[in-house]
Amino acid sequence: MVLQDLGRRINAAVTDLTRSQNLDEKAFDSMVKEICNALLEADVNVKLVAGLRQSIRRSVNFKELAPGVNKKRVIQKAVFDELVKLVDPHAEPFKPRKGKPNIIMFVGLQGAGKTTTCTKLARWYQARGFKSCLVCADTFRAGAFDQLKQNATKARIPYFGSLTNTDPVAVAAEGVEKFKRERFEVIIVDTSGRHRQEDALFEEMVQIQQAVRPQQTVMVLDASIGQAAEAQSRAFKEAADFGAIIITKTDGAAAGGGAISAVAATHTPIVFIGSGEHLLDLERFDPRAFVGKLLGMGDMQGLMEH
Amino acid sequence: IGGLFRNVVGGKTLTKEDLEKPLKGMEDHLMRKNVAREAAVRLCESVERDLVGLKTGSFTSVETTIRQAMESALQKILTPTTSLDLLRAIQSTNAGTPQRPSRPYVLSIVGVNGVGKSTNLSKLAFFLLQNKLRVLIVAADTFRSGAVEQLRVHVRNLQELSQREGGEVGIYERGYGKDAANIARDAVSWAAENAWDVVLIDTAGRRHNDQRLMSSLEKFAQLARPDKIFMVGEALVGTDSVQQARNFNAAFGAGRGLDGFIISKCDTVGDMMGTLVSMVHATGIPVVFVGTGQHYTDLRTLNVAWATRLLLS
Ligand SMILES: Nc1nc2c(ncn2[C@@H]2O[C@H](COP(=O)(O)OP(=O)(O)OP(=O)(O)O)[C@@H](O)[C@H]2O)c(=O)[nH]1
Ligand SMILES: Nc1nc2c(ncn2[C@@H]2O[C@H](COP(=O)(O)OP(=O)(O)OP(=O)(O)O)[C@@H](O)[C@H]2O)c(=O)[nH]1
Ligand SMILES: [Mg+2]
Ligand SMILES: [Mg+2]
């Protein structure tokens, strides 16, 4: 799974150091270096890694550690805190309210997994007692409506879309209006893939957003994304001010550092992760528990309570 | 003026120590361009090998020397050793020889989920249509919702375009749930009977670490017997590119590998063109096309000078 190998490697680096006989500054430096290489290989943004390297050095401040302190503990805590900082923006994610229309709009790069994930999420809320539905505002991609329709039908979720109207703003507005009238509680709007280099596509996203006025905009990110993650997610944040991230394809082999960098760049929490192509392959995400597990809960439990 | 000349070491014999720091800078630079660390490290090692013991030209800094060496290393890795003239290969397969009967040229597209296989296959079809060929598109993604309809829409669009541009395009589909390898085989024999020039086979996206889905590619290659297998990799992908390329290259059984990459979504990464380098570095397989947008005309052959310039900018 995503970040697991990275976790193992970081853990090994910390453990190696803290077990070693002479825990000197040179050994400490090489541990920091090993952690940074692991992060870079996991696609964490290059600048972010440089920052993290400094933060760990600063918070451990090896030269001035008093002789009595438990160096192992100080180092472990510093590494843990920095990693949590990467994935935990301390922002409360949105929770839909029963008896009200909760409009959730999906945005993201081409092929990230939006259409697949919006059905998964509709089913997730449906299973938890929300009257849920889907609106297809992707009028661009060939077969987009058929894709959503087939997924929704399998999941038994009501859907709206148009095979003739090519204006995504109009289709989105019409679908949301209709489902609001019918007292649906979770209304999920799927949109086309887009990227920051094409202004017209971003403009269209903003217009759809203005038309449906979502309570929550979600950015969907592929777990395998590399160094482009930061600039793209920043641009999406600026244009659409998304409040949550869903990382997809975490069943792949990618370590997910690109997606994590997007979290750090936009101070936006990951709320769910997609872990397969099927309807039920969706899991909740909790950053602290995640990093804790990553670094071996046993050692870290104590640190988390301090 | 002093600052200007600080790094000038004209006529100096370079040592490992001279190179260490600027090479580390180059490595970071390549990683910022989304080159996988593994490839960046190897490239820097090869530049180091080339430069240690070398005398720099007069008025040339170590940085400039490294840059030039990296430029030629990148050019070397990205330039294909054999040229792929797709149109000529199609023509000669279609024409046949006394020993080899004339038959359709078969091309299939593989890759992980959502990278742009179906879209770039349609762009390829458009290119072939412009060259007045008769192209049969095979819907062998029998898994993902809407995959068949997606190709149907493309074929309908392309049919309209081909009225102006020439050529002819059709679709071979058997719906969902069926075995892709069997469909591909049937499509190829049907295409032969009906004298299509080119068969383009779309396949379902699959994770390169999914044993079951990857192993089904071997049977696929045996039954469809494609002349060329192209893998689509997206420019957006990070370090995973390396393993994607290796695993797909190894999936078709002994003696059969990939024939080329199509690197899609190059328009979404600015100058971060590292995926090109990572995938070629991992396998030695050339990039045959790059995807530069979501329209039929957004497919180009790789311009090595352009890619190198972006990578070093
Ligand atoms: N393995 C795996 N595949 C996934 C996951 N989520 C989505 N996919 C696959 O990724 C591919 C792209 O998914 P889509 O939902 O079509 O992506 P999209 O963002 O809607 O694409 P566009 O609308 O073209 O921008 C499909 O093949 C999906 O089956 C996941 O969690 N794991
Ligand atoms: N910007 C840009 N988008 C592209 C490019 N190539 C494909 N896309 C987009 O990427 C998305 C996914 O494309 P598909 O062709 O459906 O991808 P796929 O690999 O067939 O997906 P699956 O069959 O689900 O695995 C679509 O929104 C395409 O329009 C490209 O070169 N540039
Ligand atoms: Mg979609
Ligand atoms: Mg496809």
Side-chain angles (χ1 to χ4, degrees):
Chain A
M1 215 273 287
V2 154
L3 286 180
Q4 228 153 42
D5 286 337
L6 172 64
R8 226 170 278 135
R9 231 176 115 177
I10 291 177
N11 221 359
V14 177
T15 313
D16 275 359
L17 173 71
T18 51
R19 281 220 188 101
S20 75
Q21 291 296 312
N22 42 350
L23 209 165
D24 57 6
E25 188 165 7
K26 203 168 145 233
F28 174 70
D29 279 347
S30 82
M31 177 208 71
V32 175
K33 201 167 156 197
E34 162 67 9
I35 289 174
C36 289
N37 283 345
L39 290 167
L40 287 171
E41 273 162 34
D43 295 319
V44 176
N45 183 271
V46 177
K47 269 183 273 164
L48 212 60
V49 174
L52 190 125
R53 175 187 297 143
Q54 280 171 4
S55 294
I56 293 179
R57 286 231 173 90
R58 204 178 314 123
S59 60
V60 172
N61 197 0
F62 203 92
K63 282 200 190 85
E64 275 151 41
L65 280 182
V69 304
N70 184 338
K71 286 187 186 150
K72 172 177 171 165
R73 211 176 164 72
V74 172
I75 291 166
Q76 273 183 330
K77 179 157 167 40
V79 173
F80 177 78
D81 285 349
E82 287 307 318
L83 290 178
V84 170
K85 236 188 262 167
L86 272 186
V87 292
D88 182 11
H90 292 288
E92 259 318 292
F94 162 82
K95 287 199 181 60
R97 308 224 314 259
K98 288 248 164 83
K100 291 215 151 73
N102 298 275
I103 298 154
I104 304 175
M105 173 173 158
F106 273 46
V107 299
L109 291 159
Q110 291 90 349
K114 295 175 294 300
T115 306
T116 309
T117 310
C118 67
T119 314
K120 290 180 183 177
L121 192 65
R123 197 228 60 107
W124 172 281
Y125 285 124
Q126 176 119 309
R128 281 151 187 83
F130 291 90
K131 201 177 163 199
S132 307
C133 61
L134 289 161
V135 176
C136 174
D138 180 356
T139 55
F140 175 77
R141 158 143 169 212
F145 184 34
D146 287 294
Q147 183 185 6
L148 182 132
K149 200 158 51 177
Q150 288 169 19
N151 281 342
T153 306
K154 266 182 231 157
R156 296 168 190 274
I157 309 266
Y159 59 85
F160 178 88
S162 172
L163 281 173
T164 49
N165 193 340
T166 54
D167 176 2
V169 183
V171 176
E174 191 185 338
V176 167
E177 226 15 77
K178 167 183 139 67
F179 284 128
K180 265 180 160 171
R181 268 198 315 275
E182 295 171 6
R183 306 223 164 275
F184 274 84
E185 294 170 303
V186 169
I187 305 172
I188 299 180
V189 182
D190 184 26
T191 64
S192 318
R194 61 195 83 236
H195 54 292
R196 72 185 176 96
Q197 285 83 358
E198 237 182 278
D199 294 339
L201 294 182
F202 262 46
E203 177 56 31
E204 176 192 282
M205 169 172 71
V206 172
Q207 282 178 19
I208 297 173
Q209 199 176 39
Q210 281 163 356
V212 305
R213 295 207 267 127
Q215 275 73 27
Q216 168 86 306
T217 302
V218 176
M219 175 154 190
V220 176
L221 271 164
D222 186 322
S224 73
I225 191 170
Q227 296 291 325
E230 204 202 355
Q232 289 290 356
S233 62
R234 262 188 215 283
F236 273 90
K237 182 78 177 183
E238 237 162 70
D241 193 27
F242 57 87
I245 289 175
I246 296 182
I247 300 186
T248 58
K249 313 185 196 176
T250 63
D251 49 326
I260 298 280
S261 305
V263 173
T266 62
H267 306 288
T268 309
I270 304 169
V271 288
F272 286 96
I273 59 173
S275 52
E277 295 194 71
H278 295 280
L279 184 60
L280 298 178
D281 298 330
L282 186 74
E283 295 159 32
R284 263 227 179 275
F285 184 81
D286 173 15
R288 301 212 118 220
F290 175 74
V291 178
K293 210 161 90 190
L294 196 72
L295 295 181
M297 208 53 179
D299 272 345
M300 290 299 155
Q301 190 108 53
L303 296 174
M304 286 172 73
E305 285 154 10
H306 284 267
Chain B
I1 287 191
L4 254 172
F5 287 93
R6 191 172 303 145
N7 288 325
V8 174
V9 287
K12 184 186 186 322
T13 304
L14 292 168
T15 66
K16 226 174 144 86
E17 290 66 44
D18 296 329
L19 293 168
E20 191 181 327
K21 240 185 141 179
L23 268 179
K24 184 79 188 73
M26 180 53 86
E27 188 185 304
D28 278 349
H29 173 85
L30 291 177
M31 281 192 288
R32 273 197 300 275
K33 296 287 165 134
N34 201 35
V35 176
R37 184 162 177 272
E38 176 186 324
V41 169
R42 293 266 191 81
L43 277 163
C44 287
E45 281 168 4
S46 84
V47 166
E48 187 192 72
R49 269 197 307 278
D50 290 348
L51 293 185
V52 168
L54 206 82
K55 222 174 181 178
T56 58
S58 41
F59 301 109
T60 316
S61 68
V62 182
E63 277 79 7
T64 311
T65 311
I66 286 178
R67 231 186 109 83
Q68 281 161 354
M70 186 55 79
E71 193 177 326
S72 43
L74 287 170
Q75 250 156 17
K76 197 168 134 212
I77 190 174
L78 290 177
T79 307
T81 45
T82 54
S83 89
L84 172 77
D85 189 340
L86 201 53
L87 293 173
R88 215 173 47 210
I90 291 168
Q91 208 176 37
S92 87
T93 306
N94 287 169
T97 61
Q99 293 80 36
R100 257 184 327 124
S102 113
R103 60 172 180 84
Y105 191 82
V106 181
L107 227 158
S108 65
I109 306 275
V110 298
V112 303
N113 305 91
V115 289
K117 293 176 293 302
S118 311
T119 307
N120 286 287
L121 173 137
S122 308
K123 296 180 197 170
L124 201 53
F126 177 72
F127 163 72
L128 298 170
L129 286 173
Q130 283 185 310
N131 287 281
K132 314 283 183 266
L133 291 163
R134 299 184 63 232
V135 183
L136 181 68
I137 291 180
V138 183
D141 177 354
T142 60
F143 174 75
R144 207 210 70 214
S145 301
V148 177
E149 287 79 2
Q150 181 180 12
L151 287 182
R152 250 188 236 155
V153 171
H154 281 306
V155 168
R156 206 170 55 224
N157 294 344
L158 290 169
Q159 270 165 350
E160 251 169 58
L161 289 169
S162 65
Q163 314 223 304
R164 263 206 328 266
E165 314 260 343
E168 187 187 334
V169 59
I171 186 165
Y172 187 98
E173 52 159 299
R174 288 292 175 269
Y176 293 94
K178 307 213 174 57
D179 182 68
N182 289 334
I183 293 182
R185 180 199 48 207
D186 294 349
V188 171
S189 34
W190 187 80
E193 284 158 26
N194 294 277
W196 290 88
D197 298 327
V198 186
V199 182
L200 288 181
I201 311 174
D202 191 23
T203 62
R206 65 199 78 219
R207 285 186 290 121
H208 62 87
N209 59 335
D210 183 322
Q211 284 297 326
R212 188 180 61 84
L213 292 178
M214 288 306 282
S215 64
S216 68
L217 284 175
E218 191 168 347
K219 178 181 168 200
F220 176 83
Q222 276 162 9
L223 295 194
R225 315 224 295 127
D227 294 282
K228 289 279 180 275
I229 305 174
F230 291 158
M231 173 180 170
V232 178
E234 57 173 22
L236 285 165
V237 70
T239 305
D240 199 38
S241 52
V242 170
Q243 215 49 47
Q244 280 183 17
R246 285 196 183 126
N247 290 5
F248 272 94
N249 192 32
F252 301 96
R256 186 65 171 107
L258 294 168
D259 299 295
F261 295 117
I262 299 176
I263 306 295
S264 65
K265 309 186 192 176
C266 288
D267 53 322
T268 69
V269 295
D271 56 14
M272 294 183 188
M273 288 294 170
T275 305
L276 285 172
V277 179
S278 307
M279 288 197 151
V280 175
H281 167 267
T283 55
I285 288 157
V287 172
V288 285
F289 293 108
V290 293
T292 55
Q294 307 193 75
H295 299 281
Y296 295 120
T297 48
D298 296 325
L299 188 72
R300 314 265 156 87
T301 51
L302 175 65
N303 179 334
V304 175
W306 165 80
T308 310
R309 193 164 59 242
L310 288 179
L311 283 162
L312 288 175
S313 69

